[in-house]
C-alpha cells in the first residue's frame, strides 16, 4: 500500500493495487423502474437491452417494427420480442480534498487526504469494473459517466488538493435510486455537512459516510501553551494547558460523530470511521459492501 | 572614573541603571512565554470548549534570572569597565618623556614602550607637545629640549628598541638647565647608574615629575670563572628579595651553522644575597664550544656573556718534519697530535717560519731535525717571551743530533754545545729496545715525578717504548725529567727558558717508537702541557689595545640577541674598545679589521667582573612614583557585550524550550556549541612557545636507531636507488646472502640496511651493494665525498649494472651509461677485469667465475699494483683489497630470497647450480671485504694449488 498518492498515475496505481484484492463489485439495483439509463445490469424486467427477455402477444398500439415476425410465423398470434432492461447504477463520489485533510500527525502513516483519495478511487475502480456510472462531486468529473476515461478523470480529480480550510459535500442533481459516497473528516461546518447529506437523501439517493481521521485527532496528545490553528490559519484557539482540554475535546468529537451517524441513519445512510493509522482495506471492504447491499428494507 | 582595585569603570553613571533591575524583574515575571503554534484540523471542535485554565503561567525563575543577568551585563558593558586601568595623565603644557632605554630595559621593553606610548597618546588627546628623550642614545646630547607634536613623538617611540649599553644620565643636564619648567615623565630601569639620582633631582626641581620604574629590576650575568676545571658563572641582581632561581643556558655553534643549546645550569640566589653561582659542568670539548651563555627569560644584553676563542683555548701551531705526509695518516705523528690537541686547544698546521707569525701560545715541533739559525733565534725569542715549545723526537731529530755530535767530535770539542731548543743535551743516536737483535724488552713507564705537570696522572702499564733518543746524563737532567721509562731514562724532559719553556718528548708523536700516542695518556699529557702554557694574551682590554682597529662581527642588540653585523659596520678603535661597552660600542664579538694580525676574535661583554648592580636611590620628595605593571589595560566592554549576547541567545533557546518548541536534544546541542565556542575563544593562544625547547634538547644525543644497529652488528648495506622494485630486490638479495653467511661462515650479519648515500653514515658498513638504475639522480658533492671516504677507509662497493643478459659480445650493457653517470665522479682506482687467480675466487670457496643470475660479463676490480713483488715501495692501501667490484651479473637477483626462504627469481642458463656459485661469490666477496687478502699470502699457495690440482 502506497503511502502517498501525489499524482493521478500513482494514485491510480495504488488504488488498483488496493481494489485488486476484492471481487468485481456489482451494485445492487433497487430502483429498476425509475431509471432509464442502459447499463450492464439486467433489471429482470422487459425494457431496452440486448439480452432476450420474453415474447409477449402484440397488443394494439405496438409498432409494426417491434413485431417479431419469426416467432409470430410459428403461431396464429402476433408476438412482440422483448429484451431485458439493462441499466447501470449511478454512484456519486465525494472525496474531501480540503486543507484540513492534509493533516498528518507523527502517529499516522499518511495524511488524511491521500488515504481518503485512495479509498474513494479504489471504490471507483471496483464500481467501474461493475459497469456503474460514476461521478466525482466537486470536480471536473461531476457528470456521471462510464468507462476508463471517466476513471482517469476521477483519479486525476481526487489527487488535486483544494484550498478551502474545511470541505462540505456539494449539492448535486441526483437521479433517484443512485448511490452517494462521501469521504471526509467531516470537521467542517456541521450544518453544511448535514445539509449536503439531507439534500442527497431527499433526492432518493442512498449513501455512505466515511469519516477519515488522524489518530492525533482522536487522542489529542497535546500539552502546554498552544495556539491551535486550522490548516489555513483561519480558525484558531489558544489554550494555556492543552492537556486539560483533552477530555472535553474527545467528548465533543464523539458527540459530533453521534450527530452525524444519527443523521445518516435517519436518511437511510451508513456512517463509519477510518483512522489513517489503520490499514485501508477494511474501510474499502466496508465501502464496497455498503454500495452493493440493498437498501435497508 | 570609578576604580575598584584593578577594575575601573570609565562611564560609572551607567551603573545607575542597575537600580532598574528590580523593576525589570517584576515586569518580566508577568510576561508568559510565547505560546507554541500548532496546526490542527480539530480546532473547529475545540471552538466552543470551555478552557478552564486561562491564567498566564509564570516565567520560570531561571529564565528570569538569565534575562536579568543579560541585562546586568549590558549595563556593566555600557559603563565601560577596564581591567588594569592605565594611569591618566594630568597637567597641561609641554610634556617631557624620558626613558632610560639601556640594557636593563630590555626585559620589559614592550611594557615600557606601551606605557610611554600611552602617555604620548594622552598628550596627543590633550593636544600637548611632547619631547621624547632616550638616555642611552649614542647621539650627541641635546642642548635644549625640542618639543614636537605628540603624534610625531609617538611614531618615534613606537619604532624604538632598547640599546645594549647603560644609559647616560648626564646626557640631559644641559637641556634641563636650559629649560624653565618641565612636566616630565621618566621611565627608568630601576638600577643605579652614575648620575641617576642627580637626574631625578634636576627633573624634580623643574616641575612635576612622574617616575615609573619596573616591578623587577633586570638580572645580569657576570663573566664566568674557571675554577679547578669547572666553569662557574654568577648571576647578579640589584636588590635582595625572594629566593630566586635563574636558569642559564649555554649555546654553541651547531654543525649546520646555527646555534644549539649545549647545557643548562641553574643559579640559586638566596633571599639575602645579590649574587648566585651556577656551575656549568661540561666535558672540556663541549665547554670549549660554548659561544654564549644567557639567562633564560631575560632578553637583554646584560644577561648574556659572549665567549671568543682566545678566552678558552690555547692556540697551538703544529710543525711537522715528517716525510710523506698525507699518504698514511695513521703512521703520522700529526694525526695523533691533532687528535690529542682537539679537546684542549685550537691548532693550526704551519711551516716553521710561519708558526711564529701566528701569534700562538704553543708551538709543537714533531720530528724537526735541523732548524736554521734565523728561525732558531726567532723561536728562542718567542720562548723567552713566554711561549711553550714542545718537541717530539723522531728519525730526523735523531739524525740531526747524531750529525751534530759527529761534527762536534770532528771539531774536537770536548763538550757538545747544547742545542738551545732542546731541554737537555741528547746523545747521538737513539736506542732501540726489544728489537730482533736486542736483549731488552720494550720499556714501560715509571710513575711520574712529583714536580711534573703529569704528577697526578697514572702511568698505564700498557704503554711501552721501543725506541727513544737518550739524554746525556748531567747534573740538571734529573730535575728536568717530567716523565721517564721504567729504567729511568727520560721520556719527557722540559726546561724553562726565559718566561717560557721547552719540552721534549723523547719518542715520536706517531706510534712508530712507542705506543704512547695510542694511549689515552697521550691526550691527557697534551692537555696538561697545553694548559700549563702561560697564556700570552692578556685581558680583554690588553687584547683590544693590541689591535689598532676592530670590526664588529656579531653584536648584541638591546634584547640580548646576537646579530651579525654587515661589512659596512663602522670599525672601532682598539683603545676605545679597551674601555669596554659604551654608548655606540655594542657588546659583541669583534675581529681585527686588518687581516694581517693573527685572526683571533675578541668578545666584548657588557657586564665585566667589576660590575655591581645597585638599586636606584629613592626619588626626591614630591615625585609621583609608579611601577610598571606590565599588564596592559584590558577593556572589558567587548567581553561583557559578547556575554550578554550569548545570554540573550540562550534566552531565546530557553524561551523556545519553555514553550515546548524545542526538543531537548537540540537544545543541549546548541547550548553545548555555544559553551564550546566560548571556551575556545578564551583559550590562551600560546602553546607554541615552550614545545620547541624540548625537541632541541632531545636531538643533541639522538642516534638514528638504524645507524645504531649498523654500528652494533655487522650489517650489509645496499644503496637505495629510488626505484622501489630494485631496492626490494637488493634487500631480498642481501637478506639471502646474510642468511648464507650466517649458515656457512663466521660472519654473522644482521638484517641488511638500506643506505641513502646522500644522507646516511657510510662508515658503519663494510660492504655496500649498489644496483645501477636509470632513474637514480646524480650524486651530490657530499655523496661523492662520502663514497670516496668509504672506499678509501676499506669499504667494499659492489656495483651491479644487472644487464649482462642484455649485452652481446663485448658491447656494453644498457646500464653502462648510467654507471658512468653515477660513479664517474667517484675516485675509483684503475680497474682491470678480474684475473682468474684473483683473491675473490678463493677467499672462502674456490670458484672460477663470479656469476649472479647471469654470467659471462666482465667483472672489474682494482688493478693489481704494478710494483710486482716489491710491496715496500708501493703504498698498499687497505691491504690491497679492491675498494670496488663492478659487474653486471645481477647478484642480488640470484641471492634474493622471499620470507619463506625460497628464491625469488629464476636463474639464467646455469640453473640452481649457478645460484649456489652466486652465493659462493657473495661469501667470497664478504670474506674479501672483511678479511682482506690474507688468502693471497704465499703461505696458503701450496695448499691452494694442491686443492686446485685435485
Amino acid at each position: 500500500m502506497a503511502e502517498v498518492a501525489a499524482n493521478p498515475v500513482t494514485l491510480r496505481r495504488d488504488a488498483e493495487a488496493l481494489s485488486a484484492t476484492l471481487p468485481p463489485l456489482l451494485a445492487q439495483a433497487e430502483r429498476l423502474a425509475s431509471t432509464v439509463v442502459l447499463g450492464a445490469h439486467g433489471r429482470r424486467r422487459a425494457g431496452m437491452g440486448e439480452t432476450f427477455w420474453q415474447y409477449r402477444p402484440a397488443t394494439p398500439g405496438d409498432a409494426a417494427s417491434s413485431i417479431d415476425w419469426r416467432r409470430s410465423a410459428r403461431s396464429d398470434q402476433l408476438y412482440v420480442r422483448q429484451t431485458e432492461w439493462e441499466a447501470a447504477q449511478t454512484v456519486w463520489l465525494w472525496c474531501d480534498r480540503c486543507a484540513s485533510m492534509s493533516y498528518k500527525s507523527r502517529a499516522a502513516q499518511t495524511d488524511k487526504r491521500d488515504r481518503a483519495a485512495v479509498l474513494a478511487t479504489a471504490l471507483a475502480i471496483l464500481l467501474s469494473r461493475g459497469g456503474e456510472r460514476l461521478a466525482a462531486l466537486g470536480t471536473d468529473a461531476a457528470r456521471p459517466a462510464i468507462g476508463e476515461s471517466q476513471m482517469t478523470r476521477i483519479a486525476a480529480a481526487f489527487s488535486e488538493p483544494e484550498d478551502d480550510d474545511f470541505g462540505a459535500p456539494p449539492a448535486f442533481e441526483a437521479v433517484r435510486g443512485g448511490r452517494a459516497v462521501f469521504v471526509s473528516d467531516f470537521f467542517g461546518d456541521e450544518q453544511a455537512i448535514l445539509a449536503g447529506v439531507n439534500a442527497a437523501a431527499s433526492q432518493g439517493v442512498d449513501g455512505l459516510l466515511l469519516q477519515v481521521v488522524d489518530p492525533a485527532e482522536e487522542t489529542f496528545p497535546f500539552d502546554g501553551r498552544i495556539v491551535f490553528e486550522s490548516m489555513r490559519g483561519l480558525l484558531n484557539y489558544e489554550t494555556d494547558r492543552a492537556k486539560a482540554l483533552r477530555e472535553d475535546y474527545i467528548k465533543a468529537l464523539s458527540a459530533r460523530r453521534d450527530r452525524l451517524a444519527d443523521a445518516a441513519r435517519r436518511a437511510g445512510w451508513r456512517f463509519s470511521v477510518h483512522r489513517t493509522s489503520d490499514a485501508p482495506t477494511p474501510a474499502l471492504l466496508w465501502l464496497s459492501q455498503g454500495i452493493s447491499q440493498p437498501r435497508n428494507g | 572614573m570609578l576604580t575598584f582595585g584593578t577594575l575601573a569603570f570609565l562611564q560609572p553613571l551607567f551603573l545607575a541603571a542597575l537600580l532598574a533591575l528590580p523593576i525589570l524583574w517584576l515586569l518580566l515575571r508577568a510576561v508568559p512565554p510565547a505560546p507554541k503554534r500548532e496546526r490542527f484540523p480539530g480546532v473547529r471542535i475545540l471552538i466552543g470548549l470551555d478552557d478552564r485554565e486561562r491564567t498566564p503561567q509564570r516565567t520560570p525563575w531561571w529564565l528570569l534570572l538569565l534575562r536579568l543577568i543579560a541585562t546586568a551585563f549590558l549595563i556593566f558593558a555600557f559603563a565601560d569597565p577596564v581591567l588594569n586601568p592605565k594611569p591618566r595623565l594630568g597637567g597641561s603644557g609641554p610634556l617631557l618623556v624620558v626613558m632610560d632605554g639601556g640594557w636593563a630595559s630590555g626585559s620589559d621593553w614592550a611594557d615600557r614602550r606601551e606605557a610611554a606610548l600611552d602617555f604620548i597618546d594622552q598628550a596627543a588627546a590633550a593636544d600637548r607637545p611632547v619631547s621624547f628623550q632616550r638616555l642611552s642614545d649614542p647621539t650627541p646630547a641635546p642642548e635644549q629640549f625640542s618639543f614636537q607634536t605628540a603624534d610625531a613623538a609617538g611614531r618615534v617611540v613606537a619604532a624604538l628598541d632598547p640599546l645594549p649599553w647603560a644609559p647616560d644620565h648626564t646626557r640631559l643636564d644641559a637641556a634641563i638647565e636650559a629649560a624653565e619648567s618641565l612636566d616630565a615623565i621618566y621611565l627608568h630601569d630601576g638600577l643605579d647608574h652614575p648620575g641617576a639620582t642627580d637626574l631625578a633631582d634636576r627633573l624634580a626641581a623643574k616641575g612635576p615629575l612622574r617616575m615609573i620604574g619596573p616591578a623587577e629590576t633586570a638580572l645580569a650575568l657576570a663573566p664566568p670563572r674557571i675554577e679547578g676545571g669547572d666553569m662557574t658563572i654568577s648571576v647578579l641582581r640589584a636588590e635582595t628579595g625572594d629566593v630566586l632561581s635563574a636558569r642559564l643556558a649555554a649555546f654553541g655553534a651547531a654543525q649546520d651553522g646555527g646555534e644549539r643549546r649545549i647545557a643548562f645550569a641553574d643559579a640559586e640566589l638566596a633571599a639575602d644575597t645579590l649574587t648566585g653561582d651556577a656551575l656549568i659542568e661540561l666535558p672540556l670539548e663541549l665547554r670549549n664550544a660554548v659561544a654564549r651563555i644567557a639567562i633564560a627569560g631575560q632578553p637583554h644584553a646584560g644577561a648574556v656573556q659572549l665567549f671568543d676563542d682566545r678566552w678558552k683555548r690555547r692556540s697551538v701551531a703544529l710543525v711537522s718534519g715528517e716525510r710523506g705526509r698525507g699518504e698514511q695518516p695513521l703512521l703520522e705523528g700529526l694525526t695523533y697530535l691533532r687528535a690529542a690537541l682537539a679537546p684542549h686547544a685550537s691548532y693550526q698546521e704551519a711551516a716553521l717560519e710561519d708558526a711564529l707569525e701566528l701569534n700562538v701560545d704553543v708551538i709543537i715541533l714533531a720530528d724537526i731535525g735541523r732548524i736554521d739559525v734565523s728561525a732558531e733565534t726567532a723561536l728562542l725569542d718567542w720562548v723567552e717571551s713566554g711561549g711553550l715549545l714542545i718537541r717530539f723526537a723522531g728519525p730526523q731529530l735523531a739524525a740531526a743530533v747524531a750529525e751534530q755530535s759527529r761534527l762536534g767530535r770532528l771539531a774536537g770539542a770536548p763538550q757538545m754545545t747544547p742545542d738551545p731548543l732542546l731541554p737537555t743535551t741528547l746523545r747521538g743516536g737513539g736506542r732501540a729496545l726489544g728489537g730482533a737483535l736486542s736483549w731488552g724488552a720494550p720499556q714501560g713507564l715509571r710513575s711520574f715525578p712529583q714536580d711534573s705537570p703529569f704528577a697526578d696522572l697514572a702511568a698505564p702499564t700498557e704503554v711501552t717504548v721501543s725506541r727513544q733518543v737518550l739524554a746525556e746524563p748531567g747534573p740538571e737532567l734529573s730535575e728536568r725529567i717530567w716523565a721517564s721509562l721504567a729504567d729511568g731514562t727520560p721520556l719527557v724532559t722540559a726546561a724553562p727558558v726565559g718566561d717560557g719553556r721547552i719540552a721534549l718528548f723523547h719518542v715520536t708523536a706517531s706510534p712508530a717508537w712507542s705506543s704512547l700516542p695510542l694511549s689515552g695518556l697521550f691526550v691527557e699529557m697534551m692537555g696538561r702541557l697545553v694548559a700549563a702554557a702561560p697564556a700570552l694574551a692578556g685581558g680583554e682590554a690588553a687584547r683590544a689595545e693590541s689591535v689598532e682597529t676592530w670590526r664588529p662581527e656579531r653584536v648584541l642588540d638591546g634584547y640580548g640577541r646576537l646579530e651579525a653585523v654587515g661589512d659596512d659596520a663602522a670599525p672601532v678603535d682598539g683603545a676605545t674598545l679597551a674601555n669596554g661597552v659604551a654608548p655606540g660600542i655594542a657588546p659583541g664579538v669583534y675581529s681585527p679589521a686588518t687581516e694581517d694580525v693573527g685572526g683571533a676574535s675578541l668578545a666584548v661583554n657588557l657586564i665585566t667582573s667589576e660590575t655591581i648592580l645597585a638599586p636606584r636611590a629613592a626619588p626626591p620628595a614630591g615625585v609621583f612614583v609608579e611601577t610598571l605593571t606590565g599588564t596592559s589595560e584590558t577593556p572589558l566592554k567587548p567581553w561583557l557585550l559578547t556575554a550578554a549576547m550569548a545570554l540573550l541567545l540562550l534566552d531565546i533557546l530557553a524561551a523556545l524550550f519553555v514553550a515546548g518548541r524545542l526538543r531537548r536534544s537540540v537544545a543541549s546541542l546548541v547550548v553545548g556549541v555555544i559553551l564550546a565556542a566560548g571556551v575556545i575563544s578564551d583559550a590562551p593562544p600560546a602553546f607554541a612557545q615552550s614545545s620547541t625547547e624540548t625537541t632541541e634538547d632531545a636531538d643533541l644525543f639522538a642516534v638514528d636507531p638504524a645507524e645504531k644497529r649498523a654500528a652494533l652488528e655487522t650489517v650489509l648495506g645496499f644503496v637505495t636507488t629510488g626505484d622501489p622494485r630494485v631496492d626490494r630486490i637488493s634487500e631480498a638479495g642481501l637478506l639471502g646472502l646474510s642468511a648464507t653467511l650466517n649458515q656457512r661462515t663466521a660472519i654473522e650479519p644482521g638484517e641488511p640496511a638500506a643506505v641513502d648515500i646522500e644522507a646516511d653514515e657510510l662508515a658503519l658498513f663494510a660492504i655496500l651493494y649498489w644496483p645501477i638504475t636509470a632513474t637514480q639522480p646524480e650524486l651530490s658533492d657530499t655523496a661523492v665525498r662520502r663514497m670516496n671516504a668509504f672506499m678509501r677507509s676499506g669499504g667494499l662497493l659492489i656495483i651491479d649494472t644487472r644487464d649482462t643478459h642484455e649485452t652481446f659480445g663485448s658491447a656494453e650493457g644498457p646500464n653502462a651509461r648510467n654507471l658512468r653517470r653515477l660513479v664517474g665522479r667517484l675516485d675509483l682506482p684503475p680497474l682491470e677485469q678480474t684475473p682468474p687467480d684473483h683473491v675473490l675466487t678463493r677467499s672462502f670457496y674456490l670458484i672460477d667465475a663470479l656469476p649472479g643470475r647471469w654470467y659471462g660479463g666482465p667483472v672489474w676490480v682494482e688493478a693489481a699494483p704494478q710494483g710486482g713483488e716489491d710491496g715496500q715501495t708501493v703504498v698498499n692501501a687497505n691491504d690491497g683489497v679492491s675498494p670496488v667490484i663492478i659487474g653486471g651479473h645481477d647478484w642480488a637477483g640470484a641471492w634474493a630470497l622471499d620470507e619463506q626462504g625460497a628464491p625469488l627469481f629464476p636463474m639464467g642458463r646455469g640453473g640452481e647450480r649457478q645460484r649456489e656459485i652466486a652465493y659462493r661469490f657473495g661469501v667470497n666477496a664478504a670474506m674479501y671485504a672483511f678479511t682482506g687478502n690474507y688468502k693471497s699470502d704465499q703461505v696458503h699457495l701450496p695448499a691452494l694449488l694442491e686443492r686446485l690440482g685435485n
Side-chain angles (χ1 to χ4, degrees), chain B residues 99-193:
Chain B
M99 288 180 88
D100 271 345
W103 62 267
S105 308
S107 304
D108 47 3
W109 182 253
D111 296 337
R112 288 167 185 282
R113 185 165 54 190
E114 203 53 47
L117 282 176
D118 194 43
F119 284 118
I120 290 173
D121 284 349
Q122 292 183 42
D127 214 7
R128 299 170 64 177
V130 170
S131 175
F132 174 78
Q133 297 293 334
R134 181 167 58 158
L135 296 178
S136 57
D137 264 332
T139 52
E143 290 301 318
Q144 57 188 14
F145 295 119
S146 58
F147 289 92
Q148 50 188 340
T149 63
D151 285 342
R155 277 196 294 279
V156 171
V157 175
L160 279 187
D161 282 323
L163 292 168
W165 46 72
D168 175 12
H169 284 80
T170 56
R171 177 180 164 80
L172 298 180
D173 287 359
I176 294 172
E177 268 325 301
E180 283 193 2
S181 72
L182 288 168
D183 186 353
I185 291 168
Y186 176 25
L187 290 132
H188 62 86
D189 56 22
L191 294 183
D192 193 24
H193 300 281

Side-chain angles (χ1 to χ4, degrees), chain B residues 298-569:
Chain B
Q298 290 273 321
H300 60 83
V304 180
Q305 280 288 337
L306 300 170
F307 294 70
D308 53 30
D309 11 300
R310 287 289 293 224
W311 188 86
K312 55 202 178 233
R313 296 170 74 114
R314 300 283 181 267
S315 52
V316 177
L318 282 175
V319 185
S320 171
E322 290 164 329
R323 292 226 178 90
R325 296 181 51 190
E327 294 285 347
Q328 284 175 310
L330 292 184
L331 297 181
E332 287 173 21
L334 272 183
T335 308
Y336 299 91
L337 283 174
R338 280 189 215 115
L341 284 174
H344 309 295
S346 58
Y347 57 85
Q348 307 171 63
E349 288 161 41
L352 181 55
E353 304 81 52
D354 305 330
L356 286 168
E357 310 258 315
L358 287 176
N359 195 18
V360 292
D361 302 317
V362 181
I363 294 180
I364 296 179
L365 303 181
D367 194 17
I368 297 281
R370 232 171 290 165
I371 302 171
D372 66 55
V373 181
S374 64
E376 184 178 292
T377 319
L379 261 180
L380 210 52
D381 283 350
W382 174 79
V383 173
E384 278 172 355
S385 70
L388 171 64
L389 178 68
I390 303 174
R391 299 190 65 174
F392 282 86
Q396 312 220 34
L397 179 68
V401 168
E403 172 83 3
Q404 206 173 13
S405 81
R406 193 175 59 84
L407 286 175
R409 271 202 308 279
L410 281 182
Q415 187 83 32
M416 244 179 74
T417 34
D419 186 338
L421 290 179
L422 288 175
T424 178
T425 319
L426 297 181
R427 296 172 66 163
R431 76 162 175 171
L433 305 156
L437 295 176
S438 77
W439 291 104
Q443 289 282 326
L445 296 185
R446 181 185 276 185
S447 56
F448 298 108
Q450 278 305 310
D451 52 353
S452 143
F454 315 128
D456 56 334
L457 297 179
T461 52
E462 74 270 14
V463 173
T464 56
V465 174
S466 54
R467 281 190 73 177
Q468 67 179 146
V469 289
L470 288 174
E472 287 281 357
E476 68 278 346
L477 176 63
S478 64
E479 68 199 32
R480 291 189 175 175
I481 291 179
W482 275 2
S484 57
L485 300 185
D487 63 358
T489 50
L491 176 65
V492 182
T493 51
V497 177
D499 292 337
R501 197 182 288 274
I502 297 177
L504 170 70
F505 280 74
H506 290 239
V507 294
T508 53
S510 70
W513 286 19
S514 73
S515 61
L516 177 66
L518 298 176
S519 71
L521 177 67
F522 188 61
V523 180
E524 302 219 17
M525 286 172 86
M526 293 311 292
R528 295 300 157 91
L529 280 177
V530 168
L536 288 182
E540 280 183 5
R543 284 194 51 221
E545 269 177 353
S546 70
V547 175
E548 199 169 312
T549 46
W550 293 90
R551 194 173 54 77
E553 206 170 290
R554 308 206 292 159
V555 299
L556 287 175
D557 66 7
Y559 300 111
R561 294 178 300 212
L562 201 53
E563 304 281 352
V565 177
D567 286 338
D568 53 345

Side-chain angles (χ1 to χ4, degrees), chain A residues 100 103 166 187-189 217 222 225-233 237-241 244 248-249 252-253, chain B residues 32-57 659:
Chain A
S100 75
Y103 179 75
F166 295 99
F187 282 165
D189 180 21
E217 290 166 341
F222 303 104
R225 183 147 188 255
I226 300 178
V227 175
F228 291 105
E229 289 180 327
S230 65
M231 300 309 277
R232 288 268 167 250
Y237 182 87
E238 181 173 346
T239 178
D240 289 315
R241 200 161 154 265
D248 287 349
Y249 170 83
L253 180 66
Chain B
K36 179 164 76 161
R37 301 187 94 77
E38 185 86 38
R39 301 255 161 184
F40 187 62
V43 62
R44 191 179 282 278
I45 297 161
L46 286 170
I47 291 173
L49 288 186
D50 178 26
D51 191 1
R52 285 180 291 260
E53 295 193 36
R54 282 230 59 104
T55 47
Q57 241 186 341

